Amino acid sequence: MQNYDSIGVVGANSWGTTLAHLLGKHGHRVLLWAKEPEIVEDIHQNHRNAKFTYDFPLSEKIVPTQDLEQVARRCEVVIVSLSSQLFRPIVYQLGNFLHADQILTSACQGLASGTHCLMHQIIQEETCIKKIGVLSGPNLFQEILKGSPSAGVIASRYHEVIHKNIHIFSSPDFKLYGSEDVPGVELSGIIKNVIAIAAGIADGLGFGSNTKALVVTRGISEMARIGVKFGAKPITFTGLAGIGDLIVTCSSKLSPNYRVGYYLAQSQSLSQI
């Protein structure tokens, strides 16, 4: 059995950095892997990630690194927060150093290009890990970094994964709820992005609340129908990971997908946005 002294986060984007900050605030030593050396330097020197989390001060418990092997060797729990394009190659590299007793949690919202695999399926394909979790929910990183009360969902087929993630993350201002519906929680975080673009378009065109309600409520139904095809439970889409995340993503100007839809309706190009 390995001796673990840290929790790992792979990916120093806005969400990965926020998760590392949450863990650090709770007293955990966090190894945060970043691809970019300038991000490692910024966090090390200034306790900031100016590229992704702007001027928000980060926990001093975060130790930035570019060494994937160090993260794998020293962390019982590793959370992966990467774009769907980077997910497979980085998880493949990480898999070279992982042991079967570790817990690997995906905090990525996306499908693999071409194969349309879910991220938990990529972990199964590229690593020896069986204790896999997926984390999702209505979480705008700016609000979490400001300390606004927030919550999410951790889904796994293993109770140990659920209980461990709840233990390391839960605090007075952030709570995780458990679910056994892995595809449902993961798909909720993916499909709602498309609906949020539609909601942004509706607002950008100047339509009213009736139209927004139409987009959101029919969107929930569509999410559930697609989810069932992937083996998900319809009830999952009525909870935090489904309708909770959908409400936030379709209504807040902090939501990137909402902003894309809004500015498309204002005749801006994707490159401008």
Side-chain angles (χ1 to χ4, degrees), residues 20-117:
H21 174 71
L22 276 175
L23 292 164
K25 264 181 54 177
H26 304 164
H28 303 290
R29 184 176 186 270
V30 185
L31 290 180
L32 175 60
W33 180 86
K35 184 180 179 182
E36 304 90 339
E38 64 272 18
I39 291 179
V40 171
E41 183 67 15
D42 193 15
I43 296 174
H44 178 70
Q45 294 290 341
N46 307 311
H47 303 295
R48 300 284 194 281
N49 183 350
K51 182 174 182 179
F52 287 109
T53 54
Y54 318 130
D55 288 329
F56 287 106
L58 302 175
S59 167
E60 296 187 9
K61 289 279 190 177
I62 298 174
V63 179
T65 180
Q66 287 189 283
D67 188 343
L68 272 178
E69 182 175 1
Q70 181 189 35
V71 175
R73 302 290 190 203
R74 301 182 66 173
C75 303
E76 178 187 7
V77 179
V78 179
I79 298 104
V80 183
S81 178
L82 297 164
S83 68
S84 56
Q85 294 91 343
L86 286 175
F87 197 90
R88 186 182 292 274
I90 299 299
V91 165
Y92 172 79
Q93 293 178 49
L94 189 65
N96 291 323
F97 313 114
L98 292 169
H99 294 270
D101 65 321
Q102 288 167 279
I103 292 171
L104 199 57
T105 298
S106 168
C108 169
Q109 295 184 340
L111 291 169
S113 177
T115 65
H116 300 150
C117 282

Side-chain angles (χ1 to χ4, degrees), residues 154-156 158-167 178-180:
I154 174 70
S156 178
Y158 290 82
H159 289 167
E160 179 186 353
V161 175
I162 294 172
H163 295 321
K164 191 71 175 182
N165 276 278
I166 288 174
H167 173 71
S179 170
E180 295 180 358

Side-chain angles (χ1 to χ4, degrees), residues 259-260 263-264 266-273:
R259 291 201 306 271
V260 166
Y263 289 116
L264 280 174
Q266 300 290 308
S267 300
Q268 292 191 28
S269 68
L270 281 175
S271 59
Q272 287 176 308
I273 298 168

